[in-house]
Each structure stands twice: as C-alpha cells, then as structure tokens.
C-alpha cells in the first residue's frame, strides 16, 4: 500500500479533530493537528507559545513561516513507513499549500501520496457545536466533550485532567475563525483543483460514526480503501 498524507480541511468545528482521532484509534494512522500543537506550546509556555498565545485567542492565523516549520519537522519525524499521515488544520492558506507542495517534492517525502479531504458543515451548526464543546486541559490529551457549561471542571475520562472551554470557542471568536476560514477556502480549493487533486468531500453534519463510515466509503476503490474493507 502506498504511504499517504491526508489533508483534512473544513471550517472550525466541522469534526476534523474527531475524525482524525477515529483514524488514529481504529486505523493506526498518525495525526498532526496544527491547532493542538500550537495549544501545547502555549500550555508549556515555550518561546513559540508566548509568541502565538494572543493570536490564537483572537481567532486569527499564526504566521505561515512558523506553522510550515512545525509541519516540516513533524513530517520528518514520521519514520514508520506503514502509517498514513493526517494533517488536520493544515494547510490553511495558499502560501501554506504551496510550501507543502514544495516539501512533498523533496526526495525524502517522494513516496507520500497526497489526498485532500474537505469536511462540510453549516455555520449555524459550527456555532452550536463549538459553544457546547469542552476540551481536556491536558495539552497532550485535548480530548473533546460536548455538553453544557457544567462540564467545566469535571474530569477527562481518558487522562483525568480537568475539562475547560477553549478561549477561542467563544461565539465572537468562532465567527472570526469562520471568516478567516472563508477568506482562504476558495483559493485553497482552486490550488488543489489546478494541480489535479480531486477534493473528496464529506458532510460533517452527522454523528461521527456516520462521518467515519462515509469517509471510509470515500476511499472506496483506492488501495487504502481496499485495505480497510
Ligand atoms: P484549530 O485547533 O485547528 O481550530 O486551530 C486553532 C488555532 O490555531 C487557529 O485559529 C489558528 O490561530 C492556529 N492555527 C492552527 N493551524 C493553523 C495553520 N495551519 N495556520 C495558521 N494558524 C493555525
């Protein structure tokens, strides 16, 4: 089976992280969530974390050069040739897409086949989903829960850390994140279309079991799909 890298695109709250988690748990794939990595830097108060804290809280994007360097480093660390890789939340701008494209031309990544997946969801559902989303405060867990504000302070079932609401999951910041997403979405879709990549689309509006099943169906007749059958 050819080793692949999957780009998971879609608005915030579409379910990129949850779908990635299913692929990691059930298919043994590897995932990089650039957002989770940024939050980890903030939680650990690294130099990068200090630089990006305010930007993330405001719902804007952090600099292309920084995020590209983080992605390149992660890709270089993925030595297990059997795994499919997921980039969750990257690329988000045309510059990032170009840089990834160039990176994947390098000899060291030449064997990686790129697949582009977009998870679609209505804005109103995004706002509803994210304002009722609570996240494990442990930077290396960041498990997601849905419910009411009473969940804040209760414990994560995976690692027992306290649950919190992400600062950027407040309604006004969610709307900013959606605006940022739409600012770049068309250019990204055109970029991949121009280079002959079909963007595989899946609806994120259903329960995750159904989204995961649709995703696996989408892979259908590819060698990856056949290996999942
Ligand atoms: P996410 O967890 O994917 O919703 O990302 C949370 C935040 O992290 C975003 O609103 C951005 O501030 C930052 N971020 C994540 N991925 C990227 C990226 N590819 N480019 C720039 N900023 C990013």
């Amino acid at each position: 089976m050819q080793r692949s890298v999957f780009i998971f695109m879609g608005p915030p709250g579409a379910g990129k992280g949850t779908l990635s988690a299913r692929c990691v748990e059930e298919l043994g794939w590897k995932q990089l969530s650039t957002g989770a990595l940024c939050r980890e830097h903030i939680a650990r108060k690294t130099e990068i974390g200090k630089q990006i804290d305010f930007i993330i809280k405001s719902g804007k994007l952090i600099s292309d050069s920084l995020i590209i360097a983080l992605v390149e480093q992660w890709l270089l660390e993925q030595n297990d040739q059997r795994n499919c890789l997921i980039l969750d939340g990257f690329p988000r701008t045309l510059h990032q897409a170009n840089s990834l494209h160039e990176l994947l031309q390098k000899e060291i990544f030449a064997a990686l086949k790129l697949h582009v997946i977009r998870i679609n969801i209505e804005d109103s559902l995004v706002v509803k989903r994210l304002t009722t989303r609570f996240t494990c405060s442990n930077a290396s867990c960041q498990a997601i829960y849905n419910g009411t504000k009473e969940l804040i302070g209760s414990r994560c079932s995976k690692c027992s850390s306290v649950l919190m609401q992400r600062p950027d999951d407040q309604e006004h910041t969610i709307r900013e994140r959606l605006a940022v997403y739409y600012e770049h979405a068309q250019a990204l879709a055109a970029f991949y279309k121009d280079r002959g990549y079909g963007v595989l689309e899946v609806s994120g509006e259903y329960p995750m079991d159904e989204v995961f099943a649709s995703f696996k169906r989408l892979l259908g007749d590819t060698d990856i799909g056949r290996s999942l059958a």
Side-chain angles (χ1 to χ4, degrees):
M1 187 177 79
Q2 180 164 22
R3 201 164 175 240
S4 293
V5 56
F6 285 81
I7 291 172
F8 281 4
M9 299 198 296
K16 301 184 294 293
T18 317
L19 180 61
S20 302
R22 291 292 289 266
C23 295
V24 170
E25 282 158 23
E26 296 185 31
L27 310 178
W29 295 5
K30 295 278 179 204
Q31 170 217 17
L32 172 67
S33 157
T34 42
L37 184 59
C38 290
R39 287 186 290 280
E40 221 176 305
H41 275 283
I42 293 171
R44 303 221 155 93
K45 299 190 167 54
T46 64
E47 272 315 306
I48 292 179
K50 287 179 206 160
Q51 272 175 43
I52 64 178
D53 190 13
F54 180 74
I55 303 170
I56 297 230
K57 284 191 181 125
S58 72
K60 304 226 184 300
L61 296 182
I62 67 165
S63 83
D64 284 334
S65 55
L66 178 54
I67 209 91
I68 290 160
L70 292 172
V71 170
E72 179 169 9
Q73 190 187 343
W74 183 81
L75 283 172
L76 286 168
E77 287 162 4
Q78 306 311 305
N79 299 320
D80 185 342
Q81 296 304 316
R82 292 161 307 168
N83 282 319
C84 288
L85 307 176
I86 301 170
L87 295 176
D88 159 7
F90 179 94
R92 263 171 150 105
T93 65
L94 202 52
H95 185 153
Q96 292 178 17
N98 259 312
S99 301
L100 178 65
H101 199 68
E102 279 167 22
L103 206 59
L104 294 180
Q105 309 298 314
K106 288 190 183 174
E107 174 122 22
I108 185 167
F109 298 124
L112 280 174
K113 182 166 183 217
L114 187 72
H115 303 265
V116 187
I117 313 292
R118 187 168 64 219
I119 311 180
N120 298 316
I121 184 170
E122 284 286 323
D123 290 0
S124 56
L125 195 52
V126 166
V127 174
K128 191 165 163 214
R129 215 179 244 186
L130 294 189
T131 49
T132 54
R133 173 169 91 168
F134 300 90
T135 307
C136 174
S137 58
N138 174 355
S140 39
C141 176
Q142 299 190 34
I144 289 169
Y145 296 81
N146 286 288
T148 61
K149 284 208 185 294
E150 278 152 32
L151 274 178
I152 296 175
S154 57
R155 299 277 165 182
C156 172
S157 62
K158 293 190 178 155
C159 74
S160 303
S161 301
V162 170
L163 303 189
M164 54 143 199
Q165 187 167 36
R166 275 172 46 179
D168 58 349
D169 278 347
Q170 306 290 332
E171 184 166 346
H172 64 281
T173 319
I174 295 167
R175 296 209 181 271
E176 172 64 28
R177 289 160 64 201
L178 277 168
V180 168
Y181 170 75
Y182 288 117
E183 193 184 322
H184 299 281
Q186 277 194 347
L188 279 175
F191 175 90
Y192 285 111
K193 192 168 166 234
D194 290 350
R195 277 160 187 76
Y197 292 97
V199 177
L200 301 176
E201 303 201 49
V202 62
S203 170
E205 298 193 351
Y206 297 99
M208 189 38 70
D209 281 345
E210 283 176 49
V211 178
F212 187 47
S214 316
F215 173 64
K216 287 193 288 185
R217 270 197 305 275
L218 264 188
L219 300 177
D221 216 18
T222 63
D223 50 354
I224 300 174
R226 280 189 290 276
S227 76
L228 302 178

